[in-house]
Amino acid sequence: MDQYTPEYTKEQLTEMITGKLQRNFGCTVETANNNHMFKACALVLRDIMSRHRMATNNEIWEKQQRQVHYLSLEFLMGRSLEKNAYNLGLLDTLREVLEDMGFSASDLFESEPDAGLGNGGLGRLAACYLDSMTTLEIPATGYSICYELGIFKQKIVEGKQVELADNWLGLGDAWLIPKMEETEEVRFGGQIVDSWDEHGVNHPEHVGYTAVLAIPRDMKIAGYQTKHTNTLRLWDAKSPLPVDMSLYSRGEYLKAVEQQAMAEVIAKVLYPDDNHYEGKSLRLKQQYFFVSATIQSITRKHKAQYGTLRNFARKHVIQINDTHPTLVIPELMRILMDQEGYGWDEAWHIVTDSVCYTNHTVLAEALERWPQKLIEDLLPRIWQILKEIAARYQQELERRYGSDMGKIAHMAIIWGGEVRMANLCVCACQAINGVSALHSEILKRDVFRDAYQAEPNKFKNVTNGIDHRRWLSQINPRLDALIKDCAGEDRYLLHPEALRDFEKSKDDQSVLQRLETIKLENKRRFASYVARESGIILNTDAIFDVQVKRLHEYKRQLLNVLHIIHLYQTLQDNPNMEFTPQTFLFGAKAAPGYHIAKEIIQLINSLAAQINGDPVCKDKLQMVFLENYRVSLAEKLMPASEISEQISTAGKEASGTGNMKFMMNGALTIGTLDGANVEMHQQLGDENIFLFGLTTEQVNQRKREGYRPHDIYLHNPALKRVLDQLTTGFSDGVSYSDLTQRLLFGEGGSQADEYMLLADFDSYCAAHQRALTAYGDRRLWNQMSLINIARSGIFAADRSIRDYARDIWHVPTRK
């Protein structure tokens, strides 16, 4: 692609927006409201990207380029107006146009709802990767479901999380282009009738099924400084059957629209709870719906171009993002055999040459296993294919391991009435990767040990990365300006490794002073936002210590809370002690069915209410839970943060990406040697990160030797006092004795202190002390902050995508 220069002047952009207002909304600049103006701007940018996409499509077709298809049930896109304008080189022009028209650009950007089509890190990673794939000019498409309701809006009522519906499509659908002519049909239920021809070939016929239409709604993805444009295809679900008017006329209104409702529920809500049969059934429907529609669409277009699917693997690579899209494997087999008439071996060869799998977790409960009966009933033909894959794989395992049923049982695809998705990926995929060096090693030596020993070349590592243009340049413009002044203008935006040149300024006092001033301005800006939103006044003279991420026990928000209780008790004992002011900020959503996580949110709010209301803590200790944590809130918070809490139990976090965003914005990490923290430590050395806690090996060893948290409780007076306070509760009168019980003795079959909070408590407190000592030396702290920024380039998504392109996808990238 040619070097990209902005195509539109201020006058042209003004004319295009004015035209959209008139044609689409029947209003002028003077009569338009904020919603009209937002949609007009979005439609103008969408038109520009659509034109670019047509040119990109032509180039892919003419050059017969290999395409990447990135399948993920989550894409946490956040807001798009500012991001798209930035990538198109039109952000400053758009701001000027809006201000001249009498609209506040920042208010307009702020009015856009987050496209919250994901729960957390997995979906945000997919969004960052789409941006990098496009910027690096890789022909790529993302695929997911067009959820009507994204991740819930979180409301805190009396300290507890309440989930509200998040209807993002009101304004968000301005970005979506329906492609009715590319609708696919997905079939559920029914039976398979075998039909053998005279050559002994079976032509299975699917009868008695329920059909659901998958309608594509495409979101265009702009790259940075390139006209190359990719697509995120979101599938919407509709029934092919019209409303039964005879039922309607008899007054049976609900029955008349029942088929529509049954179909449309598939795309209604992001991930239903799956702790009951109906939830499991709907999740499986969602997964099959989106992979079936996707692979039908890809194969249809391929055949239109090449007339055959025999060269499919040379022209396409399918990346499975976690186990959710795994059914793409049997679905592609179904198309190749049932529709194209290929034999098993030829079809399997094509599938195994085109599908790759990224594992995102070592937690056993997150490696999906589906009840066999559910798949038999919902997907009868897929079940037949799965049985055949499983039987052939089991024969291979028996040849490999003889009568070692332990290994065979561990690696089997169907076992004990369950279908194991991760094992299906290991069997069928040509490449399997973890998402940090530590995580990939754990996959090799533990989770998939036997498979790795049999086929070591399949296993790779690609450490996660973040969109540094969004998470540094766009959200922290003053820091961006400082880096450009010190490190060669904007070279780092396309070459993140150039951030390293910033380190040459680490001894320049004027640069360090500017860095400190920028951080303070960002803290004040964030504090004024929080005051506007919630009425809470943050102490900007205190160090901002931040833990924001999905709430899960292994991420150990509870350890953070235990330390804050300890600080509070210390302050109560000696109110006049020397005390570095500290503001602890939390942001987290708990899965609606995850009761312990929801209780920890309530605990955070209980403790915060007591601390913030106690005169002893005034201007010293503050604790705030930030309601409804989401991408747009993170974009305001990251530039203001000073300490980043990355404190998961070693060996549990696959990678983490929040840790990278904090590092890139100059926050210093208090963390365990877990996930990508390990590689951050390699970049930073001991002196620029505050490590604590057991290593993965030490965690495993303590568990093997018999970990007894109650003994720690009995022999550590400070910790005992903290846990006793937890049992008693705080000023709201709520006791958290069940959390104490869980830590000391275990509960409901869980191990006592399963995530080793008590084992790491003293070490964690000591790490905080080291951090506060460093914070007191302003020159030292600012140098450490600068070094963190300068060495963060390796954690850019551009580097990750180049790794995928070189080692897994085998596609070229922009130089």
Side-chain angles (χ1 to χ4, degrees):
M1 284 277 173
D2 300 328
Q3 177 65 25
Y4 180 73
T5 51
E7 300 161 277
Y8 300 96
T9 63
K10 185 176 163 188
E11 291 70 28
Q12 288 171 316
L13 206 56
T14 303
E15 193 179 320
M16 290 158 77
I17 292 170
T18 307
K20 280 290 178 201
L21 287 171
Q22 291 169 354
R23 287 190 300 276
N24 291 57
F25 306 106
C27 62
T28 64
V29 170
E30 291 70 33
T31 59
N33 62 27
N34 254 24
N35 283 3
H36 293 140
M37 185 55 79
F38 170 83
K39 286 200 166 186
C41 292
L43 290 171
V44 165
L45 296 189
R46 193 182 89 176
D47 286 351
I48 295 169
M49 292 187 291
S50 292
R51 281 194 292 276
H52 291 174
R53 176 61 191 168
M54 288 165 68
T56 302
N57 263 344
N58 289 339
E59 185 172 343
I60 294 166
W61 179 278
E62 285 165 11
K63 294 183 179 176
Q64 299 189 355
Q65 294 172 329
R66 190 174 206 218
Q67 298 175 55
V68 174
H69 305 278
Y70 197 87
L71 277 62
S72 179
L73 257 192
E74 300 187 31
F75 278 91
L76 200 52
M77 300 301 288
R79 293 169 172 166
S80 294
L81 183 58
E82 190 174 2
K83 175 62 176 167
N84 283 331
Y86 175 92
N87 274 2
L88 291 166
L90 293 171
L91 183 55
D92 291 341
T93 314
L94 181 61
R95 283 185 196 279
E96 286 177 33
V97 168
L98 287 169
E99 301 294 339
D100 287 356
M101 287 178 167
F103 285 81
S104 159
S106 55
D107 286 354
L108 204 67
F109 296 152
E110 193 63 32
S111 71
E112 181 175 6
D114 281 52
L117 309 182
N119 286 301
L122 182 81
R124 188 53 232 161
L125 181 80
C128 285
Y129 279 2
L130 262 188
D131 182 273
S132 282
M133 284 186 263
T134 312
T135 297
L136 295 178
E137 297 176 353
I138 296 172
T141 309
Y143 300 88
S144 195
I145 293 176
C146 190
Y147 303 105
E148 183 183 322
L149 304 175
I151 186 169
F152 59 85
K153 268 187 192 155
Q154 181 192 57
K155 192 94 183 132
I156 300 298
V157 179
E158 296 177 354
K160 297 178 183 176
Q161 170 179 294
V162 175
E163 299 95 27
L164 305 176
D166 171 39
N167 192 338
W168 68 285
L169 282 169
L171 285 174
D173 69 352
W175 299 110
L176 302 178
I177 303 172
K179 292 284 184 77
M180 303 300 292
E181 72 282 4
E182 294 186 38
T183 297
E184 301 291 351
E185 183 180 274
V186 181
R187 298 173 176 183
F188 295 99
Q191 302 82 37
I192 303 301
V193 178
D194 289 333
S195 172
W196 299 88
D197 65 18
E198 67 275 15
H199 304 294
V201 177
N202 185 22
H203 301 275
E205 187 186 354
H206 197 173
V207 298
Y209 57 82
T210 301
V212 176
L213 297 182
I215 300 165
R217 304 185 73 183
D218 289 355
M219 183 185 282
K220 300 304 168 197
I221 307 296
Y224 177 71
Q225 285 194 358
T226 175
K227 289 183 182 178
H228 184 100
T229 302
N230 285 327
T231 299
L232 171 60
R233 171 155 286 192
L234 301 172
W235 294 102
D236 200 4
K238 299 289 178 200
S239 170
L241 300 177
V243 171
D244 188 331
M245 292 310 293
S246 63
L247 287 171
Y248 212 82
S249 59
R250 293 203 299 272
E252 297 181 40
Y253 306 125
L254 290 178
K255 200 160 179 53
V257 296
E258 189 175 43
Q259 285 297 325
Q260 268 77 5
M262 292 300 286
E264 289 169 18
V265 75
I266 289 173
K268 198 74 170 175
V269 184
L270 171 77
Y271 280 40
D273 259 352
D274 66 349
N275 49 11
H276 44 72
Y277 185 85
E278 288 77 10
K280 276 190 172 60
S281 173
L282 181 50
R283 269 184 86 157
L284 184 63
K285 274 187 180 171
Q286 286 183 329
Q287 293 184 7
Y288 182 67
F289 168 78
F290 113 90
V291 301
S292 177
T294 295
I295 205 67
Q296 286 186 68
S297 173
I298 297 167
T299 52
R300 191 182 307 285
K301 289 178 182 176
H302 179 92
K303 198 164 180 193
Q305 180 170 6
Y306 296 104
T308 176
L309 293 183
R310 288 196 158 86
N311 64 340
F312 183 85
R314 288 206 303 278
K315 298 299 177 185
H316 303 275
V317 59
I318 296 161
Q319 188 68 45
I320 297 175
N321 194 33
D322 220 359
T323 51
H324 313 126
T326 304
L327 289 173
V328 76
I329 294 164
E331 177 64 4
L332 182 51
M333 287 294 288
R334 181 188 71 78
I335 289 169
L336 294 171
M337 293 191 301
D338 296 1
Q339 292 179 9
E340 299 302 311
Y342 297 175
W344 181 276
D345 292 340
E346 185 177 13
W348 185 245
H349 185 69
I350 292 168
V351 170
T352 55
D353 275 0
S354 54
V355 183
C356 308
Y357 163 53
T358 301
N359 173 281
H360 284 275
T361 182
V362 296
L363 299 181
E365 66 268 23
L367 293 172
E368 289 183 304
R369 297 162 178 240
W370 290 107
Q372 175 180 321
K373 183 80 172 71
L374 190 58
I375 295 182
E376 281 185 64
D377 292 347
L378 266 184
L379 311 170
R381 179 60 180 144
I382 293 302
W383 169 243
Q384 290 180 341
I385 294 168
L386 283 172
K387 272 197 305 185
E388 185 64 22
I389 294 172
R392 287 171 181 245
Y393 189 49
Q394 198 148 321
Q395 285 172 2
E396 186 186 318
L397 294 176
E398 285 166 3
R399 282 196 298 273
R400 196 186 294 168
Y401 301 119
S403 58
D404 187 343
M405 290 311 291
K407 283 190 175 178
I408 292 167
H410 181 66
M411 295 177 71
I413 294 168
I414 300 173
W415 196 268
E418 288 183 323
V419 181
R420 300 163 173 177
M421 292 308 190
N423 285 0
L424 176 55
C425 287
V426 168
C427 162
C429 292
Q430 58 160 327
I432 297 147
N433 73 283
V435 290
S436 73
L438 174 66
H439 173 232
S440 294
E441 283 306 308
I442 292 171
L443 294 184
K444 290 177 191 175
R445 68 164 191 257
D446 183 10
V447 183
F448 302 132
R449 181 184 67 244
D450 297 326
Y452 169 68
Q453 287 170 354
E455 297 180 281
N457 293 339
K458 261 194 184 188
F459 287 79
K460 324 268 183 188
N461 174 60
V462 180
T463 297
N464 282 347
I466 59 172
D467 171 6
H468 68 293
R469 289 171 289 274
R470 183 176 201 134
W471 290 104
L472 197 167
S473 174
Q474 193 186 322
I475 70 169
N476 202 341
R478 287 166 182 77
L479 178 57
D480 172 62
L482 177 59
I483 291 167
K484 286 172 179 172
D485 286 349
C486 298
E489 291 304 314
D490 59 1
R491 177 174 153 72
Y492 90 93
L493 293 174
L494 283 173
H495 302 279
E497 65 279 3
L499 273 172
R500 200 74 190 222
D501 292 339
F502 188 35
E503 193 165 338
K504 293 170 187 167
S505 303
K506 71 177 177 9
D507 296 316
D508 184 329
Q509 188 53 42
S510 66
V511 171
L512 295 177
Q513 189 54 56
R514 264 182 81 186
L515 191 62
E516 178 161 323
T517 303
I518 289 165
K519 183 63 75 176
L520 184 57
E521 285 172 357
N522 288 338
K523 286 171 70 176
R524 287 175 177 159
R525 191 172 296 103
F526 182 70
S528 62
Y529 166 78
V530 170
R532 273 198 317 275
E533 291 294 305
S534 66
I536 295 167
I537 307 301
L538 298 180
N539 178 11
T540 53
D541 293 328
I543 186 168
F544 278 14
D545 184 308
V546 183
Q547 188 175 20
V548 286
K549 51 185 76 242
R550 199 162 46 85
L551 211 142
H552 196 292
E553 288 164 278
Y554 84 82
K555 293 178 185 286
R556 300 204 296 189
Q557 284 92 346
L558 185 54
L559 176 61
N560 194 343
V561 170
L562 298 182
H563 170 247
I564 297 168
I565 296 172
H566 173 60
L567 283 181
Y568 179 43
Q569 290 175 334
T570 309
L571 203 51
Q572 282 178 310
D573 293 344
N574 187 359
N576 299 317
M577 69 183 286
E578 214 171 280
F579 194 92
T580 304
Q582 293 163 72
T583 290
F584 290 92
L585 300 169
F586 290 83
K589 289 180 178 177
Y594 191 175
H595 300 299
I596 296 296
K598 292 177 93 165
E599 187 175 8
I600 291 168
I601 288 176
Q602 188 180 359
L603 165 63
I604 291 168
N605 286 300
S606 280
L607 178 59
Q610 177 146 336
I611 285 174
N612 299 340
D614 191 331
V616 165
C617 298
K618 186 171 166 47
D619 299 329
K620 291 179 180 172
L621 184 61
Q622 184 179 32
M623 184 178 179
V624 175
F625 186 88
L626 301 165
E627 185 178 78
N628 198 33
Y629 182 63
R630 58 202 183 280
V631 174
S632 56
L633 178 53
E635 289 172 341
K636 297 177 180 67
L637 174 61
M638 297 290 175
S641 302
E642 292 173 292
I643 286 179
S644 158
E645 299 273 356
Q646 307 299 331
I647 59 177
S648 52
T649 314
K652 295 296 182 187
E653 186 72 84
S655 168
T657 47
N659 46 4
M660 301 167 186
K661 291 164 195 163
F662 282 112
M663 178 187 183
M664 214 169 253
N665 282 278
L668 303 191
T669 301
I670 292 179
T672 50
L673 277 171
D674 195 26
N677 291 359
V678 174
E679 285 149 277
M680 286 167 59
H681 173 241
Q682 286 167 358
Q683 294 297 315
L684 295 167
D686 290 342
E687 62 279 10
N688 294 300
I689 187 170
F690 302 102
L691 292 179
F692 76 94
L694 302 174
T695 64
T696 306
E697 284 306 314
Q698 289 166 339
V699 166
N700 294 336
Q701 187 180 344
R702 288 287 286 270
K703 292 203 167 178
R704 278 195 305 270
E705 290 170 354
Y707 173 53
R708 287 183 289 277
H710 192 252
D711 289 355
I712 300 174
Y713 166 81
L714 292 175
H715 295 101
N716 185 330
L719 180 57
K720 182 177 186 302
R721 186 179 172 197
V722 166
L723 291 173
D724 291 348
Q725 182 69 61
L726 199 61
T727 303
T728 306
F730 304 96
S731 50
D732 60 3
V734 178
S735 163
Y736 295 94
S737 57
D738 57 328
L739 292 179
T740 314
Q741 175 77 18
R742 210 173 167 83
L743 290 172
L744 295 179
F745 306 108
E747 197 179 48
S750 73
Q751 300 166 308
D753 190 17
E754 185 175 358
Y755 297 105
M756 315 290 274
L757 281 69
L758 275 55
D760 279 351
F761 178 78
D762 280 351
S763 177
Y764 180 55
C765 293
H768 270 272
Q769 276 309 121
R770 296 200 309 278
L772 293 179
T773 302
Y775 192 72
D777 182 339
R778 298 312 302 152
R779 180 179 170 82
L780 172 67
W781 183 271
N782 291 327
Q783 279 183 322
M784 293 167 76
S785 176
L786 185 149
I787 287 167
N788 268 262
I789 298 163
R791 297 185 189 176
S792 66
I794 195 171
F795 299 114
D798 287 5
R799 189 269 315 145
S800 305
I801 291 301
R802 286 187 193 278
D803 289 352
Y804 275 107
R806 183 188 64 241
D807 299 335
I808 295 175
W809 301 335
H810 309 298
V811 294
T813 58
R814 175 186 188 179
K815 294 293 177 270

